[in-house]
Every structure is written in C-alpha cells, then in structure tokens.
Short mmCIF file of all heavy atoms in Angstrom, two decimals:
data_model
loop_
_atom_site.label_atom_id
_atom_site.label_comp_id
_atom_site.label_asym_id
_atom_site.label_seq_id
_atom_site.Cartn_x
_atom_site.Cartn_y
_atom_site.Cartn_z
N ILE A 1 36.60 -62.65 -38.03
CA ILE A 1 36.79 -61.71 -39.11
C ILE A 1 35.49 -61.57 -39.91
O ILE A 1 35.08 -60.55 -40.36
CB ILE A 1 37.96 -62.20 -40.12
CG1 ILE A 1 39.34 -62.07 -39.42
CG2 ILE A 1 38.00 -61.41 -41.40
CD1 ILE A 1 39.93 -60.61 -39.28
N GLU A 2 34.87 -62.70 -40.08
CA GLU A 2 33.58 -62.73 -40.84
C GLU A 2 32.53 -62.02 -40.15
O GLU A 2 31.75 -61.13 -40.68
CB GLU A 2 33.13 -64.23 -41.12
CG GLU A 2 33.96 -64.99 -42.09
CD GLU A 2 35.22 -65.66 -41.42
OE1 GLU A 2 35.54 -65.43 -40.21
OE2 GLU A 2 35.90 -66.30 -42.13
N GLU A 3 32.40 -62.15 -38.71
CA GLU A 3 31.43 -61.43 -38.05
C GLU A 3 31.76 -59.91 -38.03
O GLU A 3 30.75 -59.10 -38.19
CB GLU A 3 31.44 -61.84 -36.51
CG GLU A 3 30.89 -63.21 -36.29
CD GLU A 3 31.35 -63.81 -34.88
OE1 GLU A 3 32.21 -63.30 -34.12
OE2 GLU A 3 30.68 -64.88 -34.53
N CYS A 4 32.95 -59.56 -38.03
CA CYS A 4 33.33 -58.13 -38.13
C CYS A 4 32.92 -57.52 -39.47
O CYS A 4 32.29 -56.49 -39.55
CB CYS A 4 34.87 -57.97 -38.04
SG CYS A 4 35.52 -56.37 -38.36
N ALA A 5 33.17 -58.23 -40.56
CA ALA A 5 32.81 -57.81 -41.91
C ALA A 5 31.26 -57.55 -42.00
O ALA A 5 30.91 -56.52 -42.41
CB ALA A 5 33.21 -58.76 -42.96
N ILE A 6 30.46 -58.48 -41.56
CA ILE A 6 29.05 -58.30 -41.58
C ILE A 6 28.60 -57.16 -40.67
O ILE A 6 27.82 -56.31 -41.08
CB ILE A 6 28.37 -59.65 -41.21
CG1 ILE A 6 28.47 -60.60 -42.38
CG2 ILE A 6 26.81 -59.43 -40.81
CD1 ILE A 6 27.93 -61.99 -42.21
N ARG A 7 29.08 -57.09 -39.42
CA ARG A 7 28.71 -56.04 -38.54
C ARG A 7 29.03 -54.66 -39.10
O ARG A 7 28.18 -53.76 -39.08
CB ARG A 7 29.42 -56.23 -37.17
CG ARG A 7 29.08 -55.13 -36.15
CD ARG A 7 29.86 -55.26 -34.88
NE ARG A 7 31.27 -55.41 -35.10
CZ ARG A 7 32.17 -54.40 -35.30
NH1 ARG A 7 31.65 -53.14 -35.51
NH2 ARG A 7 33.46 -54.63 -35.44
N GLU A 8 30.20 -54.57 -39.72
CA GLU A 8 30.70 -53.19 -40.10
C GLU A 8 29.88 -52.81 -41.31
O GLU A 8 29.39 -51.62 -41.42
CB GLU A 8 32.13 -53.23 -40.43
CG GLU A 8 33.05 -53.20 -39.26
CD GLU A 8 33.07 -51.79 -38.53
OE1 GLU A 8 32.59 -50.82 -39.09
OE2 GLU A 8 33.51 -51.76 -37.37
N VAL A 9 29.53 -53.66 -42.21
CA VAL A 9 28.66 -53.36 -43.38
C VAL A 9 27.37 -52.88 -42.90
O VAL A 9 26.79 -51.78 -43.27
CB VAL A 9 28.59 -54.51 -44.35
CG1 VAL A 9 27.54 -54.21 -45.40
CG2 VAL A 9 29.96 -54.80 -45.03
N GLU A 10 26.76 -53.58 -41.87
CA GLU A 10 25.42 -53.26 -41.35
C GLU A 10 25.45 -51.92 -40.72
O GLU A 10 24.54 -51.10 -40.92
CB GLU A 10 24.94 -54.35 -40.31
CG GLU A 10 24.40 -55.60 -40.99
CD GLU A 10 24.07 -56.66 -39.93
OE1 GLU A 10 24.29 -56.52 -38.74
OE2 GLU A 10 23.60 -57.70 -40.37
N GLU A 11 26.46 -51.64 -39.86
CA GLU A 11 26.55 -50.42 -39.14
C GLU A 11 26.72 -49.15 -40.06
O GLU A 11 26.16 -48.18 -39.86
CB GLU A 11 27.73 -50.45 -38.20
CG GLU A 11 27.42 -51.23 -36.91
CD GLU A 11 28.68 -51.38 -36.00
OE1 GLU A 11 29.74 -50.80 -36.26
OE2 GLU A 11 28.53 -52.10 -35.07
N GLU A 12 27.64 -49.38 -41.08
CA GLU A 12 28.00 -48.25 -41.93
C GLU A 12 26.90 -47.89 -43.00
O GLU A 12 26.94 -46.86 -43.55
CB GLU A 12 29.36 -48.46 -42.58
CG GLU A 12 30.47 -48.43 -41.55
CD GLU A 12 31.91 -48.30 -42.23
OE1 GLU A 12 32.09 -48.50 -43.37
OE2 GLU A 12 32.79 -47.94 -41.45
N THR A 13 26.08 -48.94 -43.34
CA THR A 13 25.12 -48.70 -44.43
C THR A 13 23.66 -48.97 -44.15
O THR A 13 22.83 -48.55 -44.96
CB THR A 13 25.52 -49.65 -45.66
OG1 THR A 13 25.25 -51.05 -45.18
CG2 THR A 13 26.92 -49.48 -46.07
N GLY A 14 23.38 -49.62 -43.07
CA GLY A 14 22.04 -49.92 -42.74
C GLY A 14 21.44 -51.20 -43.46
O GLY A 14 20.33 -51.54 -43.29
N VAL A 15 22.32 -51.76 -44.27
CA VAL A 15 21.92 -53.05 -45.00
C VAL A 15 21.87 -54.25 -44.12
O VAL A 15 22.78 -54.42 -43.26
CB VAL A 15 22.78 -53.27 -46.19
CG1 VAL A 15 22.54 -54.59 -46.94
CG2 VAL A 15 22.68 -52.06 -47.25
N GLU A 16 20.86 -55.00 -44.22
CA GLU A 16 20.69 -56.22 -43.37
C GLU A 16 20.57 -57.45 -44.28
O GLU A 16 20.48 -57.38 -45.46
CB GLU A 16 19.42 -56.16 -42.53
CG GLU A 16 19.53 -54.98 -41.42
CD GLU A 16 18.27 -54.62 -40.83
OE1 GLU A 16 17.23 -55.40 -41.21
OE2 GLU A 16 18.26 -53.75 -39.95
N GLY A 17 20.57 -58.65 -43.57
CA GLY A 17 20.37 -59.95 -44.36
C GLY A 17 21.60 -60.23 -45.19
O GLY A 17 21.50 -60.80 -46.28
N LEU A 18 22.81 -59.97 -44.66
CA LEU A 18 24.05 -60.17 -45.45
C LEU A 18 24.43 -61.62 -45.35
O LEU A 18 24.42 -62.16 -44.32
CB LEU A 18 25.16 -59.31 -44.94
CG LEU A 18 24.94 -57.78 -45.11
CD1 LEU A 18 25.75 -56.99 -44.17
CD2 LEU A 18 25.23 -57.39 -46.53
N LYS A 19 24.87 -62.13 -46.54
CA LYS A 19 25.46 -63.57 -46.52
C LYS A 19 26.89 -63.48 -47.20
O LYS A 19 26.87 -62.96 -48.27
CB LYS A 19 24.53 -64.44 -47.23
CG LYS A 19 23.19 -64.69 -46.64
CD LYS A 19 22.52 -65.94 -46.97
CE LYS A 19 21.26 -66.28 -46.36
NZ LYS A 19 20.58 -65.21 -45.62
N ILE A 20 27.75 -63.99 -46.50
CA ILE A 20 29.15 -64.04 -47.08
C ILE A 20 29.13 -65.22 -48.12
O ILE A 20 28.80 -66.29 -47.79
CB ILE A 20 30.22 -64.23 -45.95
CG1 ILE A 20 30.38 -62.97 -45.19
CG2 ILE A 20 31.58 -64.73 -46.67
CD1 ILE A 20 31.45 -63.06 -44.03
N GLU A 21 29.68 -64.91 -49.20
CA GLU A 21 29.88 -65.92 -50.37
C GLU A 21 31.25 -66.51 -50.33
O GLU A 21 31.32 -67.72 -50.38
CB GLU A 21 29.53 -65.32 -51.74
CG GLU A 21 28.07 -64.90 -51.86
CD GLU A 21 27.85 -64.62 -53.33
OE1 GLU A 21 28.48 -63.77 -53.98
OE2 GLU A 21 26.89 -65.21 -53.89
N ASN A 22 32.22 -65.56 -50.28
CA ASN A 22 33.60 -66.09 -50.23
C ASN A 22 34.57 -64.97 -49.91
O ASN A 22 34.19 -63.82 -49.93
CB ASN A 22 33.99 -66.63 -51.63
CG ASN A 22 33.92 -65.70 -52.73
OD1 ASN A 22 32.83 -65.35 -53.11
ND2 ASN A 22 35.00 -65.24 -53.23
N PHE A 23 35.80 -65.39 -49.48
CA PHE A 23 36.80 -64.46 -49.13
C PHE A 23 37.39 -63.91 -50.49
O PHE A 23 37.56 -64.63 -51.47
CB PHE A 23 37.93 -65.11 -48.39
CG PHE A 23 39.13 -64.31 -48.16
CD1 PHE A 23 39.14 -63.27 -47.27
CD2 PHE A 23 40.32 -64.53 -48.99
CE1 PHE A 23 40.34 -62.48 -47.10
CE2 PHE A 23 41.43 -63.81 -48.81
CZ PHE A 23 41.45 -62.75 -47.83
N LEU A 24 37.66 -62.57 -50.57
CA LEU A 24 38.27 -62.10 -51.76
C LEU A 24 39.82 -61.88 -51.74
O LEU A 24 40.39 -62.41 -52.43
CB LEU A 24 37.59 -60.63 -52.07
CG LEU A 24 36.17 -60.70 -52.48
CD1 LEU A 24 35.51 -59.35 -52.47
CD2 LEU A 24 35.95 -61.42 -53.85
N LYS A 25 40.19 -60.96 -50.79
CA LYS A 25 41.62 -60.71 -50.65
C LYS A 25 41.82 -59.90 -49.47
O LYS A 25 40.90 -59.35 -48.85
CB LYS A 25 42.27 -60.23 -51.83
CG LYS A 25 41.78 -58.86 -52.32
CD LYS A 25 42.58 -58.23 -53.50
CE LYS A 25 42.80 -59.28 -54.62
NZ LYS A 25 43.43 -58.79 -55.80
N THR A 26 43.07 -59.69 -49.06
CA THR A 26 43.50 -58.83 -47.98
C THR A 26 44.25 -57.73 -48.51
O THR A 26 45.11 -57.96 -49.38
CB THR A 26 44.30 -59.67 -46.89
OG1 THR A 26 43.64 -60.83 -46.50
CG2 THR A 26 44.69 -58.86 -45.74
N THR A 27 43.97 -56.42 -48.05
CA THR A 27 44.65 -55.35 -48.60
C THR A 27 45.32 -54.65 -47.36
O THR A 27 44.92 -54.81 -46.26
CB THR A 27 43.73 -54.28 -49.24
OG1 THR A 27 42.75 -53.89 -48.38
CG2 THR A 27 43.07 -54.86 -50.54
N TYR A 28 46.31 -53.84 -47.70
CA TYR A 28 47.10 -53.23 -46.62
C TYR A 28 47.30 -51.75 -46.98
O TYR A 28 47.72 -51.38 -48.14
CB TYR A 28 48.54 -53.82 -46.53
CG TYR A 28 48.45 -55.31 -46.16
CD1 TYR A 28 48.41 -56.34 -47.08
CD2 TYR A 28 48.45 -55.71 -44.86
CE1 TYR A 28 48.31 -57.62 -46.83
CE2 TYR A 28 48.38 -57.09 -44.40
CZ TYR A 28 48.38 -58.02 -45.43
OH TYR A 28 48.26 -59.36 -45.12
N HIS A 29 47.26 -50.82 -45.97
CA HIS A 29 47.63 -49.49 -46.16
C HIS A 29 48.05 -48.92 -44.82
O HIS A 29 47.71 -49.39 -43.76
CB HIS A 29 46.54 -48.59 -46.82
CG HIS A 29 45.27 -48.42 -45.97
ND1 HIS A 29 44.21 -49.36 -45.92
CD2 HIS A 29 44.94 -47.44 -45.15
CE1 HIS A 29 43.29 -48.89 -45.12
NE2 HIS A 29 43.66 -47.67 -44.61
N ILE A 30 48.86 -47.83 -44.89
CA ILE A 30 49.38 -47.10 -43.78
C ILE A 30 48.51 -45.91 -43.53
O ILE A 30 48.21 -45.16 -44.39
CB ILE A 30 50.84 -46.67 -44.00
CG1 ILE A 30 51.77 -47.81 -44.28
CG2 ILE A 30 51.40 -45.79 -42.86
CD1 ILE A 30 52.24 -48.58 -43.12
N PHE A 31 48.16 -45.71 -42.34
CA PHE A 31 47.47 -44.42 -41.90
C PHE A 31 48.04 -43.83 -40.65
O PHE A 31 48.87 -44.60 -39.93
CB PHE A 31 45.87 -44.69 -41.73
CG PHE A 31 45.50 -45.55 -40.53
CD1 PHE A 31 45.06 -44.96 -39.42
CD2 PHE A 31 45.60 -46.91 -40.65
CE1 PHE A 31 44.65 -45.66 -38.25
CE2 PHE A 31 45.31 -47.68 -39.49
CZ PHE A 31 44.84 -47.05 -38.33
N GLN A 32 47.64 -42.65 -40.23
CA GLN A 32 48.24 -42.09 -39.19
C GLN A 32 47.22 -41.67 -38.20
O GLN A 32 46.15 -41.15 -38.57
CB GLN A 32 48.93 -40.66 -39.70
CG GLN A 32 50.15 -40.38 -38.80
CD GLN A 32 50.95 -39.23 -39.36
OE1 GLN A 32 50.68 -38.67 -40.47
NE2 GLN A 32 52.06 -38.97 -38.76
N ARG A 33 47.35 -42.04 -36.98
CA ARG A 33 46.45 -41.73 -35.87
C ARG A 33 47.27 -41.15 -34.69
O ARG A 33 48.26 -41.81 -34.24
CB ARG A 33 45.80 -43.10 -35.41
CG ARG A 33 44.60 -43.04 -34.63
CD ARG A 33 43.25 -42.35 -34.99
NE ARG A 33 42.76 -42.29 -36.32
CZ ARG A 33 42.06 -43.13 -36.96
NH1 ARG A 33 41.66 -44.27 -36.38
NH2 ARG A 33 41.62 -42.92 -38.21
N ASN A 34 46.94 -39.93 -34.23
CA ASN A 34 47.70 -39.28 -33.23
C ASN A 34 49.17 -39.22 -33.47
O ASN A 34 49.95 -39.49 -32.48
CB ASN A 34 47.32 -39.90 -31.81
CG ASN A 34 45.83 -39.95 -31.52
OD1 ASN A 34 45.13 -39.01 -31.91
ND2 ASN A 34 45.37 -40.99 -30.91
N GLY A 35 49.60 -38.97 -34.71
CA GLY A 35 50.98 -38.92 -35.05
C GLY A 35 51.79 -40.22 -35.09
O GLY A 35 52.97 -40.22 -35.38
N ILE A 36 50.97 -41.28 -35.01
CA ILE A 36 51.64 -42.60 -35.06
C ILE A 36 51.19 -43.34 -36.31
O ILE A 36 49.99 -43.38 -36.60
CB ILE A 36 51.36 -43.51 -33.81
CG1 ILE A 36 51.96 -42.82 -32.56
CG2 ILE A 36 51.83 -44.90 -33.98
CD1 ILE A 36 51.44 -43.37 -31.22
N TYR A 37 52.18 -43.81 -37.11
CA TYR A 37 51.70 -44.63 -38.27
C TYR A 37 51.26 -46.02 -37.86
O TYR A 37 51.83 -46.65 -36.90
CB TYR A 37 52.99 -44.78 -39.22
CG TYR A 37 53.43 -43.60 -39.92
CD1 TYR A 37 54.75 -43.08 -39.75
CD2 TYR A 37 52.51 -42.86 -40.65
CE1 TYR A 37 55.09 -41.93 -40.39
CE2 TYR A 37 52.96 -41.71 -41.38
CZ TYR A 37 54.21 -41.19 -41.17
OH TYR A 37 54.63 -40.09 -41.84
N LYS A 38 50.18 -46.45 -38.51
CA LYS A 38 49.67 -47.80 -38.27
C LYS A 38 49.40 -48.46 -39.60
O LYS A 38 49.24 -47.88 -40.56
CB LYS A 38 48.36 -47.65 -37.50
CG LYS A 38 48.55 -47.05 -36.08
CD LYS A 38 47.39 -47.16 -35.21
CE LYS A 38 47.66 -46.59 -33.89
NZ LYS A 38 46.67 -46.92 -32.86
N LEU A 39 49.49 -49.82 -39.47
CA LEU A 39 49.29 -50.66 -40.64
C LEU A 39 47.90 -51.26 -40.57
O LEU A 39 47.57 -51.90 -39.58
CB LEU A 39 50.37 -51.76 -40.70
CG LEU A 39 50.10 -52.90 -41.78
CD1 LEU A 39 50.29 -52.35 -43.14
CD2 LEU A 39 51.09 -54.04 -41.52
N LYS A 40 47.06 -50.96 -41.57
CA LYS A 40 45.69 -51.50 -41.60
C LYS A 40 45.57 -52.67 -42.53
O LYS A 40 46.00 -52.51 -43.69
CB LYS A 40 44.59 -50.38 -41.93
CG LYS A 40 43.23 -50.93 -41.81
CD LYS A 40 42.14 -49.91 -41.96
CE LYS A 40 41.67 -49.43 -40.60
NZ LYS A 40 40.53 -48.47 -40.75
N GLU A 41 45.20 -53.77 -42.08
CA GLU A 41 45.06 -55.01 -42.75
C GLU A 41 43.56 -55.26 -42.90
O GLU A 41 42.85 -55.45 -41.92
CB GLU A 41 45.72 -56.10 -42.00
CG GLU A 41 45.56 -57.45 -42.54
CD GLU A 41 46.16 -58.60 -41.59
OE1 GLU A 41 45.56 -58.88 -40.64
OE2 GLU A 41 47.25 -59.10 -41.96
N VAL A 42 42.97 -55.18 -44.16
CA VAL A 42 41.55 -55.34 -44.31
C VAL A 42 41.30 -56.69 -45.09
O VAL A 42 41.81 -56.86 -46.08
CB VAL A 42 41.00 -54.09 -45.11
CG1 VAL A 42 39.50 -54.28 -45.12
CG2 VAL A 42 41.31 -52.80 -44.53
N HIS A 43 40.48 -57.45 -44.44
CA HIS A 43 40.01 -58.70 -45.08
C HIS A 43 38.65 -58.50 -45.73
O HIS A 43 37.71 -58.07 -45.15
CB HIS A 43 39.90 -59.79 -43.97
CG HIS A 43 41.18 -60.03 -43.25
ND1 HIS A 43 42.16 -60.99 -43.61
CD2 HIS A 43 41.72 -59.48 -42.08
CE1 HIS A 43 43.09 -60.95 -42.73
NE2 HIS A 43 42.85 -60.05 -41.85
#
C-alpha cells in the first residue's frame, strides 16, 4: 500500500523524494465502471 501511494503521487504530479510520515485514514466511495458499481477503498 505504501509503495502504491508513493508511486501514484509521483506519476500524477511529477513530485519526487517523497517520504511517508504516517498513515492518516481509509476512505470509501462507490464509482461506476462499464455499468458495474465498484467500491473504492483508498488508504
């Protein structure tokens, strides 16, 4: 999960040299892809 968080921030923003300080929380939302509801769990 930590590697994913760093990679995604780098890919989406171009920011490098990221250091994780601590876990904040997990959020949940429903989205639709190809007519199917999915549950997104974001750490």
Side-chain angles (χ1 to χ4, degrees):
I1 293 287
E2 292 83 357
E3 288 166 348
C4 170
I6 286 174
R7 176 184 54 75
E8 283 292 344
V9 171
E10 286 176 350
E11 286 175 4
E12 291 195 344
T13 67
V15 171
E16 294 167 0
L18 296 161
K19 293 203 177 18
I20 290 181
E21 292 195 305
N22 59 290
F23 170 76
L24 291 170
K25 63 175 48 173
T26 303
T27 60
Y28 299 89
H29 67 275
I30 300 278
F31 69 101
Q32 210 170 4
R33 192 64 31 89
N34 304 325
I36 295 166
Y37 290 123
K38 296 191 177 192
L39 172 64
K40 187 173 264 186
E41 174 183 74
V42 185
H43 301 271

